[in-house]
Amino acid sequence: MKVLRRLCFALVYALPAVLFFSYYPIISLGNNETMNFEFSLPLIWLVLFDLVAFLSFIALGLEQKSQHKTESYSWRYFWTKNFGSLTDRKFFLFALFPFYATLSIFWSVNPLRAFLTAGIIWLIFFAVFALIYLIPLLKPAKQFPYHLVAVFFISTALVCVFCWIQCLLDVFGVSRNTTLLCLGCTSWTFGFPHPSGFAIEPQYMGNLLLAPTLYALYQLVFREFSRQQRRWLIAFASFFSATLFLTMSRGAIYAYGIALVILIIFAILRHLGKERFSLIIIPVVSFLCTLAMQGIFATISPTTDNFCTGTTKVIHQLSLGIIDLRPQAASESDNSSLPEGDTGSVENSVDNSSDNRPNSNDSDSAQNVPESKFDGYIPASTNIRLGLSGVALQTWLKNPMFGVGLGGAGVAISRAFPENELAAPNAIIQNEPISLLLELGVVGIGLVLLAFWLAFGSKSEFWSLLDLPLFVALIIAYLITLQFFSGPANALQIYLMPPLIYCFLYSRSLKSSKSTSR
């Protein structure tokens, strides 16, 4: 039992860092016309953690049975004793969604993808259960929350440093093979780089930074710390915010803004003092610093861009073209289309191979400095996403109750609209609610809403949490970002990060005195 306990806690400690390696390194096992067969570190972690947690669950039951020393001891008694707040009925109701998703394999138009996705859903289900209910029973050490927070902050800071290094290396001409920047993340896109970290695209990297950034700001504003500790929190919050803005992920940035509004509302309701202004000052100053750095990157990058064009492009892109401060020549250019074969993401829209860089030894290179691909907001990127969602809704209307089956979105829309260039067997509807509606129908959406009601309904323990503002802000932020993602394997942090934070806050959330909160 001691070995299992140590393994379980070791895996929990590793999770904050592992989540950042969502694409690099990757184990590729090939592909077919509908999907890639790949193993990432977070997926490997998920399998290992569930296995260790399951064995720990069994060992804990056997240990308590041996201590009880009575034949009347049963697994039902073990469950009732240790998971009193999670009744058999409630657990069964939570499990209805993964059970139904698994059942949909039988009518899925892509059964292999359905089988693999159902497996991931069950792995997430049991991992969340273990983080919330099993870890406390394993009697974590007194320093467990503090060590986990330290791993959380340090791993995030190191990845943020890597993101800034990616940008510096790119503007000085280092190839993508070294920087690991995604296809459309280099200076050739906007004139300045926007990092993807170890993720596949900047939108994933930005999403990964939501939890640590919001957690640092929440602790700074809603908790009491020494002056030295506050300085560290300010430094972490500022650095994480600046890196989040550096990714230029609109989904993550919009979600971050909404989450900040929620935290500000809670700060006002709790009558906090001047500390609440940190929720405005730190993000604003971080954005301005990042904007200045993007202008500097544009100035020294191997394109014709300068500080002015770089900074105004950022504002134009993030505002969806509403705020246009670009020079007249740029504002008249056409960014309405993407190259053939683009999937709706700017990051996949240009050829950024190192062979395209100008030869520094060419005497005419000064006169032949290339222009960046885009001059600002790219409407086609948004339109393609909206187009895919529209095609998905039209396909759903043909199977409204039960959907086309788990994992069948791409195949279903390609069959329903074979002449539509957006409809391909491997197409991903980058909107989780619409994707679920298409694949699992009204029944699937209903079961998701049931799970939400069980977790966050009026009678849920959720509303009694001491750290309620943080969880409300984070969950709503993730719900917003789910409008830009689909598929559980693509964004495991959305499903694992809230229970992980609960895991290292549960003792304070449920047991600590209210005197520790202002």
Side-chain angles (χ1 to χ4, degrees), residues 315-356:
I315 296 172
H316 195 249
Q317 169 74 358
L318 294 182
S319 66
L320 300 177
I322 296 174
I323 303 176
D324 191 354
L325 303 176
R326 298 171 301 163
Q328 187 64 28
S331 62
E332 292 175 354
S333 63
D334 181 14
N335 289 323
S336 61
S337 63
L338 294 177
E340 183 179 355
D342 179 65
T343 59
S345 173
V346 175
E347 284 70 33
N348 297 319
S349 63
V350 293
D351 180 6
N352 288 306
S353 63
S354 57
D355 294 337
N356 287 339

Side-chain angles (χ1 to χ4, degrees), residues 139-423:
K139 299 178 180 179
K142 185 178 180 180
Q143 297 300 315
F144 167 72
Y146 307 103
H147 292 162
L148 193 51
V149 170
V151 174
F152 190 38
F153 278 171
I154 293 172
S155 60
T156 303
L158 291 175
V159 172
C160 287
V161 169
F162 177 73
C163 287
W164 288 89
I165 292 175
Q166 279 184 309
C167 293
L168 288 170
L169 292 177
D170 177 75
V171 297
F172 287 115
V174 179
S175 73
R176 287 197 308 114
N177 293 332
T178 301
T179 65
L180 301 183
L181 284 173
C182 70
L183 185 62
C185 301
T186 69
S187 301
W188 302 103
T189 305
F190 290 112
F192 56 86
H194 47 298
S196 51
F198 297 99
I200 191 171
E201 292 181 2
Q203 66 170 331
Y204 291 86
M205 185 61 224
N207 191 273
L208 284 162
L209 290 174
L210 280 173
T213 307
L214 291 173
Y215 181 80
L217 283 170
Y218 170 79
Q219 293 294 318
L220 178 65
V221 174
F222 288 80
R223 293 288 182 182
E224 292 283 2
F225 291 98
S226 67
R227 181 174 298 181
Q228 184 65 27
Q229 290 172 323
R230 289 182 61 80
R231 288 174 180 171
W232 277 107
L233 284 172
I234 291 172
F236 280 126
S238 301
F239 188 38
F240 298 165
S241 293
T243 310
L244 194 157
F245 288 124
L246 188 67
T247 66
M248 270 184 59
S249 169
R250 287 173 298 184
I253 292 173
Y254 296 162
Y256 181 40
I258 297 298
L260 288 173
V261 171
I262 293 171
L263 289 179
I264 290 171
I265 292 173
F266 272 104
I268 294 173
L269 292 176
R270 294 192 177 186
H271 305 288
L272 300 186
K274 60 183 181 179
E275 292 85 357
R276 66 189 181 193
F277 292 107
S278 298
L279 296 170
I280 299 174
I281 295 173
I282 289 178
V284 169
V285 172
S286 298
F287 173 74
L288 293 176
C289 290
T290 301
L291 186 64
M293 287 303 302
Q294 287 166 323
I296 294 173
F297 289 149
T299 302
I300 62 178
S301 70
T303 67
T304 58
D305 284 277
N306 53 45
F307 188 91
C308 180
T309 61
T311 54
T312 54
K313 281 183 185 181
V314 173
I315 296 172
H316 195 249
Q317 169 74 358
L318 294 182
S319 66
L320 300 177
I322 296 174
I323 303 176
D324 191 354
L325 303 176
R326 298 171 301 163
Q328 187 64 28
S331 62
E332 292 175 354
S333 63
D334 181 14
N335 289 323
S336 61
S337 63
L338 294 177
E340 183 179 355
D342 179 65
T343 59
S345 173
V346 175
E347 284 70 33
N348 297 319
S349 63
V350 293
D351 180 6
N352 288 306
S353 63
S354 57
D355 294 337
N356 287 339
R357 298 183 183 276
N359 187 347
S360 58
N361 296 322
D362 188 350
S363 59
D364 295 328
S365 63
Q367 289 80 23
N368 297 321
V369 177
E371 295 182 355
S372 55
K373 186 68 179 179
F374 299 112
D375 291 317
Y377 171 56
I378 309 164
S381 177
T382 302
N383 294 338
I384 289 174
R385 292 175 183 270
L386 294 176
L388 277 169
S389 296
V391 171
L393 288 174
Q394 293 179 57
T395 307
W396 163 71
L397 290 174
K398 300 180 181 181
N399 301 277
M401 187 59 63
F402 300 104
V404 300
L406 191 66
V411 174
I413 64 174
S414 65
R415 291 178 180 177
F417 301 93
E419 297 181 358
N420 192 317
E421 61 180 7
L422 298 179

Side-chain angles (χ1 to χ4, degrees), residues 117 120-121 124 432 486-493 495:
T117 305
I120 293 173
I121 291 174
I124 293 173
E432 185 65 22
S486 66
N490 293 332
L492 287 177
Q493 73 277 0
Y495 311 102

